[in-house]
Amino acid sequence: MRASERYERVFELFEAVCDLPVPARQERLRELCADDQELQQDVESMLAADGREHSLIDAGESGRGVAVLAAGLLGSGADGEASTIAFDAAQRRGAEEPLPTEIGGYQVLRRIGEGGMGIIYEAQQESPHRRVALKVLRPGALTPSLLKRFRREAHVLGQLQHPGIAQIHEAGVADAAGTRPFLVMELVEGRPLLEHAEFYQLEARHRVELVARVCDAVQHAHQKGVIHRDLKPGNVLVVPGGPSGSADTTTFAHATEITGGTGTLDTLDAVGQPKVLDFGIARVTDPTTAAPVTQQTEVGQIIGTLAYMSPEQVTGDTAMVDTRCDVYALGVLLYEVLSGHKPHDVAGKSIPEAARVIQEHEPTRLGAHDRSLRGDLETIVDAAMAKDRNRRYGSAAELAADLRRYLTDLPIDARPPSAAYQLAKFASRNRGLVVGLAATLLALVLGLCGTGYYLLEAIRQADAAESARVEADKVADFQLHQIDGIDVAAMGAELRRSLLEAVPTERREDLESRLRDVNFTDLALQSLETNLFERSLTVIDTDYAEQPLVQAKLLLATARTMQGQGLHEPALDPMRQALAIRRRELGLDHRDTLAAAIDLSKLLGLVSQFEEAEARLREVMETRRRERGPTDPLARQALGGLVDVLFLDGRGEEALVLARAAVGIERGLLEPEHPDLLASIGRLRTVLIQLGHLEEAEPLAQELLDVSTRLLGARSPKTLSALSDLAALRRAQGRLDEAAEIYERTLADVRQLHGNSHPDTLLAINNLAATRFQQGEYEPAERLLREAVATQGSVYGYLQKPAVLLLENLASLFDVTARGADAEPLWLEALATRRRLDGDQHPDTLLALLHLGSVLNQRGEPARAMPLIIEAVDGAREVFGDHDERTLVAAGDLAQLLEQQAAWGEAEPYRRLVVAGLRADAPLQRRTLARWLEKLAENLTQQGRRAEAEPLRLEVGELREAAAEEEGGRGERVREEGASEAPK
């Protein structure tokens, strides 16, 4: 074994046992070294040296190590014992050390920095010819712990390849004795983050984008299993000009001469490209589990810079350290770069006192430093710096995504803490107000009639008490945050449960049957509309009349919330009013005006006012493209909205053209993980699936799933939704086994995430059951559907669309398995519910009519079946027209039923109706048309009209010959024998 290989083996064994309890080390080491006593002694000497180091700076956790640093690092003694030289002495001599001319083959140009661990030089590399940064351990500073930290930085940087992270070129040792390990890194010629922002006088929006780019780099590190743990402005240098303006060479230099001191960026990117540095105390984890690879830091030791450390990090408990510590530090960076202040002033405080401040004190709100930072930016900072790490952004990518949503005027995902959480924190400081606020919270949860009253009273009190220092738009934000995120289904379920529990047990069953026809979700929604939204709109109209732009903001946000709860029609008026205010106050072409026009257009599409929606969206898109080009954010938003509107209007092919164009524009403009691009890909995937372009849709569905998994984790709600979408695509492709496998996994994860009674869980059960149905696995499908139906009924009641869908699917299963007696009551209830929810001529109501009629006919009750099927046919002809597939299915069933009663003459027009519809679809329906012509010929023969029947039979033969030569199309689409459709 060569010397360098042997040294590397020593380090591997050292890191394998160094974290074990001392008694267990020897046994494990003997096991790993086998019979190599010399190898075991080398490792034991390192362990002994490591145990002698106790200073705070040497307590960093161990990484995996870098092979190139192995050669010569154990010293030159014959016994292989590690050499140690006093660190303090090296520190004292560092400033006096003369500038070396050459280190490791690199020509040293100047000293550009130093720290506790080493010295950084600017150096010249000959091949390739470039300037580099040379980081060298101080002479004599080769303590085992410091060496491990140095090697960790080399190892970490070797894994990370991102334009936002300073790259490592080489690692080695500068002398034969191995006492001068060095790293060769890119030379970053830029200023520290805060200095860069001030030097170039960056606007707030540019500062936000700058931090978003830092988030991108940190996210890359997290994906590689690396937690930085010391993010601060001094560890982020910014190269002027952004990615396109970056130099090939990099440095740790805080260069000031690069722009000649002008303080302007001229034509360069106004933001710049940040470079994250100093991974010396980074923590290496398993990126698949986020578990630490090593656990070297002792509990109670603090690693990092206090002002930027999260509350859990200052405890010194390494078990609490994960990627969310870096998210907190990014929040501090954002706070400081925007406001010029740190959120907590810990300068001059002892470590315990500083830790207490970070853990217990709320920082000054961002907006208190600058009014323009209130609103979304304040909310984003609060979410990133939440003391409870479970309330922070789950990743740096989520923080970056919200920052870019803010920059493109999209709604952000972050929301202030819930009312319940705020009350818990507020109670200890303001006991006198807790009772009133608790009533507000209770009203929101239960959806009772006093909801809006208590809420608005609380808002007025807050306004009156703080009017001297709180602006109206901040109060407006408070109001909106109270109503955002309301779960109407949960409110209805809670109200139903409360009513049932309010009566004695012996009367509960009777009450439950009486409540069967009460839609508690609608009841809760009506309560919100009347007592919350209507009251809110009244307050907005009266209290903010003299602040029209704040009024418009409130109207828009309230309308969006109403829209999110399904109150589409009621949301139109406030949305139109907000747009009118912005047009009057800001002008027709102001970006805020156009953004409101986009919001209104999307809402118009949801209420089927497609013509106006399309006209408004095209106007916005053309205006912004004319002024700023097709890549303008508002132009892209309008294009996406237009895709949605055309799709809802049934103009799928037009929507497909625009959806492809939108994805093409954004792929060339945005990062692969940008939320705007992902939304456009999702639109394109949906349109493709609807139009049957399954092959083209597949890579898009997979891409969305992969990105969501990478950014949010395998079990996040968005990832599970993307996984379910992929399963639906597999089902549409006929790949039922794959679809079932995916649905099984999705259901298990959704159960764990939400429990057994959540609407998402019931939807996942239905999806799996529908797939099992298609596979012919009726028993597991029935078991799943019965579970979902029972849960839906007991928690939410049956007078809801999810409930009736489950009933219909269970009834369809009974249809196929010839269990008409079981199917009939389910179809009766489904039909009654559809009539109440959707009306008599809704497509789903007509389909329920047809199913029930078919079941009754199969059970030998044609007299009961006939009026139902006739109603279905008449309704379908009126709603869909004579050539629609749904009309033809119903007409075919009616013709068959009449012929069973020997009513040949009455059946004939319905046979002809089906034939005419199929002829309109020729030649794709040749075989089906032939079969129905044959049935029509039989009908005419039964009426004694053989002469009329003969040419039909000749045509049947011609059609079948043509179909045999060129099979085409969609296969059989007209149901002949009343066969039930598969569950939805």
Side-chain angles (χ1 to χ4, degrees), residues 133-450:
L134 198 65
K135 187 171 186 176
V136 188
L137 268 183
R138 293 177 180 279
L142 196 63
T143 66
S145 295
L146 204 61
L147 177 59
K148 284 188 293 180
R149 178 179 171 188
F150 195 77
R151 292 178 68 240
R152 178 188 304 108
E153 182 170 14
H155 167 63
V156 167
L157 289 174
Q159 298 180 78
L160 306 181
Q161 300 294 321
H162 190 276
I165 296 175
Q167 303 296 294
I168 184 172
H169 299 318
E170 183 185 351
V173 288
D175 55 30
T179 59
R180 306 268 338 244
F182 66 84
L183 303 179
V184 182
M185 307 175 71
E186 63 172 319
L187 192 67
V188 181
E189 294 187 305
R191 291 180 168 80
L193 182 71
L194 297 179
E195 184 181 327
H196 172 88
E198 290 305 311
F199 185 81
Y200 293 111
Q201 294 295 296
L202 296 185
E203 299 175 3
R205 297 180 68 83
H206 291 156
R207 296 177 188 231
V208 170
E209 174 59 30
L210 184 59
V211 175
R213 294 182 185 183
V214 177
C215 292
D216 295 338
V218 173
Q219 175 67 16
H220 174 78
H222 289 174
Q223 289 173 330
K224 296 293 185 179
V226 176
I227 307 169
H228 191 286
R229 297 201 304 170
D230 196 21
L231 292 169
K232 56 186 177 182
N235 282 342
V236 180
L237 298 185
V238 186
V239 178
S244 62
S246 299
D248 290 335
T249 57
T250 67
T251 180
F252 293 123
H254 298 182
T256 58
E257 64 274 15
I258 53 178
T259 61
T262 62
T264 63
L265 291 178
D266 298 327
T267 60
L268 297 176
D269 177 1
V271 177
Q273 174 60 57
K275 295 275 187 177
V276 180
L277 315 174
D278 197 356
F279 284 81
I281 65 168
R283 186 176 193 181
V284 182
T285 69
D286 180 347
T288 63
T289 64
V293 173
T294 62
Q295 195 73 14
Q296 182 76 2
T297 304
E298 297 177 12
V299 173
Q301 291 181 316
I302 299 176
I303 301 297
T305 304
L306 274 169
Y308 302 90
M309 291 168 65
S310 65
E312 66 270 19
Q313 194 175 355
V314 297
T315 67
D317 184 355
T318 55
M320 299 289 287
V321 174
D322 60 19
T323 56
R324 290 170 292 185
C325 291
D326 281 353
V327 171
Y328 180 94
L330 290 167
V332 178
L333 282 182
L334 180 61
Y335 186 106
E336 190 171 5
V337 79
L338 288 173
S339 70
H341 301 271
K342 291 182 177 67
H344 295 294
D345 183 8
V346 296
K349 291 182 170 60
S350 65
I351 289 179
E353 185 180 3
R356 184 180 59 81
V357 169
I358 292 170
Q359 290 175 306
E360 298 177 7
H361 290 192
E362 293 294 337
T364 302
R365 296 277 287 175
L366 181 66
H369 299 292
D370 184 341
R371 291 168 51 189
S372 68
L373 302 178
R374 292 172 178 166
D376 282 352
L377 274 181
E378 204 168 47
T379 300
I380 290 171
V381 168
D382 290 348
M385 291 175 49
K387 294 191 184 298
D388 181 351
R389 60 180 179 169
N390 293 319
R391 295 182 178 276
R392 284 179 216 148
Y393 289 100
S395 68
E398 290 183 22
L399 172 55
D402 245 7
L403 290 173
R404 291 183 172 120
R405 289 189 190 97
Y406 165 79
L407 291 174
T408 52
D409 295 323
L410 293 173
I412 62 172
D413 279 352
R415 292 292 181 267
S418 65
Y421 180 78
Q422 289 174 339
L423 281 175
K425 303 296 289 182
F426 188 73
S428 61
R429 301 191 302 273
N430 300 277
R431 295 186 180 277
L433 294 178
V434 168
V435 174
L437 290 176
T440 301
L441 173 63
L442 179 62
L444 279 172
V445 172
L446 298 180
L448 299 177
C449 294

Side-chain angles (χ1 to χ4, degrees), residues 853-917:
S854 296
V855 168
L856 292 173
N857 185 41
Q858 290 168 8
R859 297 195 66 200
E861 300 186 55
R864 292 179 61 198
M866 189 74 72
L868 296 172
I869 297 178
I870 290 174
E871 182 183 354
V873 173
D874 292 345
R877 296 183 75 174
E878 182 174 346
V879 174
F880 307 121
D882 282 355
H883 291 173
D884 187 89
E885 178 181 344
R886 290 161 290 191
T887 302
L888 303 184
V889 168
D893 277 3
L894 181 54
Q896 179 188 344
L897 178 58
L898 290 167
E899 288 175 350
Q900 288 172 354
Q901 308 302 311
W904 301 103
E906 295 177 46
E908 180 187 345
Y910 297 107
R911 290 286 182 200
R912 291 191 180 278
L913 177 62
V914 175
V915 167

Side-chain angles (χ1 to χ4, degrees), residues 671-742:
E671 294 295 325
E673 297 168 351
H674 194 284
D676 289 358
L677 173 57
L678 298 180
S680 293
I681 292 173
R683 287 190 187 96
L684 177 56
R685 175 206 58 194
T686 300
V687 176
L688 288 169
I689 292 175
Q690 183 69 22
L691 296 179
H693 301 298
L694 304 182
E695 185 175 350
E696 185 180 350
E698 181 168 356
L700 301 179
Q702 188 65 56
E703 179 181 0
L704 290 171
L705 175 60
D706 291 344
V707 171
S708 183
T709 303
R710 186 165 62 253
L711 293 181
L712 305 176
R715 293 185 175 179
S716 75
K718 289 185 178 179
T719 302
L720 294 176
S721 177
L723 187 62
S724 184
D725 289 340
L726 180 62
L729 176 60
R730 293 283 184 265
R731 188 176 160 201
Q733 292 170 326
R735 298 159 64 177
L736 299 180
D737 290 343
E738 294 178 55
E741 181 183 354
I742 296 173

